[in-house]
Amino acid sequence: MKKKMLLLNTTVLLGLGGVLSTPAYASTIQDMESQKSQIQNQRQDVQSNIKAASDELTRLQAEQDQMKAQLERLTLAEEENNKKAQKTEADIKETSKQVDQLEKEIKLLQEKLEKRNDILKDRARSMQESGGNVEYLQVLLGSSSFGDFVDRALAVSTIVDADRGILTETKNMQDELKTKQADVKSKLASLEDMKAELDEMTVQLAAQKKQKDALAKELKDKEAKNEELKASLQSKDSSLANEQSTLEQNIKDQKAAEEAARKAARKAAEQAAKEAAKKAAEQAQKAAAAPSEKADSPSPKAAPKASSNDVAPTSAPAPKASNVATVGNRWIGNSAYVFGGGRSQSDINHGLFDCSSFVHWAYSQVGVNLGPLGSVSTETLKHAGTQVSSSQMQPGDLVFFDTYKKDGHVGIYVGGGKFIGAQSSTGVAIANMSSGYWKQKFNGRVVRI
């Protein structure tokens, strides 16, 4: 009887197993796993593309930030240079007024001298007619000009007191005239230098404006590409989200179907077991109760522990010390030229230099002081070291160029016929002095600090 009951229970369990593992159900799971694998692979590809696009976005953003900073520098430089141009114009007008006033004073002096000249001639002529001093007459007749006559007449000891007073006053007037003439010439020369500087400044401002407009257009183009890239990424992300949502819903539906099938199978198996047990009970009414069998539930396997490898962080190598010929490379593309700039910490922080202040800054970075920053100029720098032949130029030497005036520009020789300096149209940059514009402007002055 026990054997019959065991056989019956085994039959029931086999029937239950057959219900829970039907070929149709297995086929659905297999299809689902295959679909899931395909979508996962596709998602990995899309995520890889998204990462690459995100990296490109980051790079573009950094480049845009750098360009915006340069545009701000150029705008600030343009404002400062415009102020300088306006001040120069005002100085020119003021100097012109002074020149006009000096010319009026010179004209008055010349008129006074002409009157003095007439008086002295009359007195000399009167003396000649009355048989006066012969030496005095020789002075008058032997002089090559009125100025020469005055100088010679004062040297004659026999001149009467009245004439000596006129001659002394005339001499003083002549000296004053010479002084004022020298002053006029000096102011006119200064005026010409200022005008040349203004003309050069106008050209440089136009170049800076052109550079600024070019950077603005480039920035606008890059921003457009950036927006296009963003739109593409958003489209990909939306498509990926839809696929992921569809997959999750399919999995959810399949799990629900699986659970429903299992419940239905259990219910059918339990019903079949009840019916089988009922039949067995009817056949074994007199038999003793059949022993129950306990199913040993399998002990869960311990999940393998994931091992982690700790990676020790690596530190970046310490930067090498730069010499004076290369220390300024950090400002290339990150600076702008400003007349009189670079003489305050604020200007330096914003990368605003002129040629001499950049040289002063570069040498200060390697521990060399080239004098007070506020008064540094090409004139002070050309006397800051020892002049050497241009055939003996070495990296770090100062090189000078005649631009709007003699020694109007200075830079630092870097070797290979090139120098680094704050150039008016580019800011800090490396330029070629062995050909083109800078070769024509190089005046041969080389100073070794």
Side-chain angles (χ1 to χ4, degrees):
M1 179 61 68
K2 289 182 180 181
K3 289 182 179 180
K4 288 182 179 181
M5 290 297 295
L6 180 60
L7 179 61
L8 180 59
N9 289 336
T10 301
T11 302
V12 171
L13 290 174
L14 288 174
L16 179 59
V19 172
L20 292 176
S21 58
T22 60
Y25 181 77
S27 176
T28 300
I29 292 294
Q30 185 176 1
D31 291 344
M32 197 65 178
E33 290 294 337
S34 176
Q35 182 182 5
K36 180 179 179 180
S37 177
Q38 291 175 2
I39 293 178
Q40 285 178 335
N41 291 336
Q42 183 180 1
R43 186 177 181 185
Q44 288 177 355
D45 292 340
V46 173
Q47 288 178 340
S48 177
N49 291 334
I50 289 177
K51 184 181 183 304
S54 297
D55 292 343
E56 178 66 9
L57 275 172
T58 301
R59 188 191 69 79
L60 280 174
Q61 188 61 53
E63 188 173 351
Q64 288 177 25
D65 292 343
Q66 184 177 4
M67 291 178 66
K68 287 179 180 177
Q70 182 64 2
L71 281 172
E72 290 175 358
R73 291 189 197 96
L74 287 176
T75 299
L76 183 57
E78 189 176 23
E79 292 174 355
E80 292 298 323
N81 287 338
N82 281 328
K83 291 178 183 178
K84 178 67 174 179
Q86 293 171 4
K87 184 178 183 303
T88 303
E89 287 282 8
D91 291 342
I92 288 176
K93 291 180 180 179
E94 180 61 28
T95 305
S96 297
K97 291 180 181 179
Q98 294 176 8
V99 169
D100 291 341
Q101 182 61 33
L102 284 173
E103 288 177 347
K104 291 177 181 178
E105 293 177 6
I106 289 173
K107 186 177 180 180
L108 290 174
L109 280 174
Q110 288 175 338
E111 291 175 355
K112 289 182 180 180
L113 286 175
E114 288 176 1
K115 291 179 180 180
R116 299 288 176 148
N117 187 18
D118 293 339
I119 293 173
L120 290 172
K121 284 182 179 179
D122 290 341
R123 295 181 71 84
R125 193 177 297 111
S126 175
M127 181 177 289
Q128 181 181 15
E129 292 174 352
S130 61
N133 190 297
V134 176
E135 187 177 2
Y136 195 13
L137 295 175
Q138 289 176 344
V139 168
L140 176 60
L141 296 174
S143 60
S144 59
S145 65
F146 178 66
D148 183 35
F149 166 72
V150 173
D151 291 337
R152 293 174 62 150
L154 286 172
V156 177
S157 60
T158 59
I159 299 175
V160 294
D161 292 339
D163 289 349
R164 183 176 297 279
I166 294 174
L167 289 170
T168 301
E169 186 178 357
T170 303
K171 174 64 176 176
N172 292 337
M173 291 171 67
Q174 278 187 321
D175 292 341
E176 183 182 0
L177 176 60
K178 289 180 181 179
T179 300
K180 288 184 177 292
Q181 285 177 331
D183 193 13
V184 168
K185 289 181 180 179
S186 176
K187 287 186 177 295
L188 283 175
S190 175
L191 182 61
E192 290 172 357
D193 284 346
M194 291 171 66
K195 183 64 169 64
E197 182 178 359
L198 180 60
D199 292 341
E200 181 74 12
M201 190 185 307
T202 302
V203 173
Q204 291 165 355
L205 283 173
Q208 287 185 346
K209 184 65 167 60
K210 184 177 180 180
Q211 182 187 17
K212 176 182 174 182
D213 292 341
L215 283 174
K217 184 179 183 302
E218 185 178 352
L219 177 60
K220 186 175 181 180
D221 292 343
K222 286 184 178 292
E223 286 178 344
K225 291 181 180 179
N226 190 22
E227 291 300 326
E228 183 179 352
L229 183 59
K230 281 184 178 180
S232 176
L233 284 174
Q234 289 170 350
S235 177
K236 288 182 180 180
D237 185 62
S238 177
S239 177
L240 179 62
N242 289 336
E243 291 184 21
Q244 183 176 353
S245 178
T246 300
L247 174 61
E248 289 174 350
Q249 187 60 44
N250 288 342
I251 292 175
K252 183 178 179 181
D253 293 344
Q254 188 60 38
K255 286 183 177 180
E258 175 186 346
E259 185 63 23
R262 286 178 178 174
K263 287 181 178 179
R266 287 194 190 96
K267 187 175 181 180
E270 289 173 357
Q271 185 64 30
K274 287 180 181 180
E275 292 178 357
K278 184 178 180 180
K279 290 180 180 179
E282 291 175 353
Q283 293 176 1
Q285 291 180 355
K286 296 181 181 180
S292 61
E293 296 181 2
K294 297 182 180 179
D296 295 332
S297 57
S299 59
K301 295 182 179 180
K305 295 183 179 179
S307 62
S308 61
N309 295 324
D310 295 332
V311 179
T314 58
S315 58
K320 296 181 179 179
S322 300
N323 60 29
V324 71
T326 58
V327 71
N329 290 350
R330 57 169 289 195
W331 292 115
I332 296 177
N334 297 306
S335 59
Y337 185 93
V338 173
F339 279 95
R343 287 164 179 78
S344 68
Q345 192 58 47
S346 176
D347 279 358
I348 294 173
N349 292 342
H350 288 88
L352 304 178
F353 296 97
D354 65 9
C355 61
S356 53
S357 66
F358 170 74
V359 169
H360 187 284
W361 173 86
Y363 268 92
S364 71
Q365 300 306 295
V366 295
V368 178
N369 185 357
L370 296 182
L373 177 60
S375 59
V376 66
S377 66
T378 54
E379 289 297 316
T380 63
L381 291 177
K382 73 181 184 182
H383 300 297
T386 303
Q387 189 163 337
V388 298
S389 170
S390 60
S391 62
Q392 298 176 343
M393 279 191 299
Q394 296 178 3
D397 289 345
L398 304 187
V399 287
F400 290 80
F401 305 84
D402 293 342
T403 51
Y404 71 93
K405 67 175 183 177
K406 186 171 181 61
D407 298 318
H409 190 70
V410 63
I412 302 173
Y413 188 65
V414 299
K418 297 180 179 180
F419 75 99
I420 187 171
Q423 326 299 4
S424 60
S425 60
T426 60
V428 176
I430 293 176
N432 190 350
M433 58 183 290
S434 59
S435 64
Y437 175 82
W438 291 113
K439 180 180 180 180
Q440 296 174 1
K441 297 298 182 180
F442 179 52
N443 61 17
R445 186 188 298 279
V446 180
V447 174
R448 184 162 297 161
I449 303 300

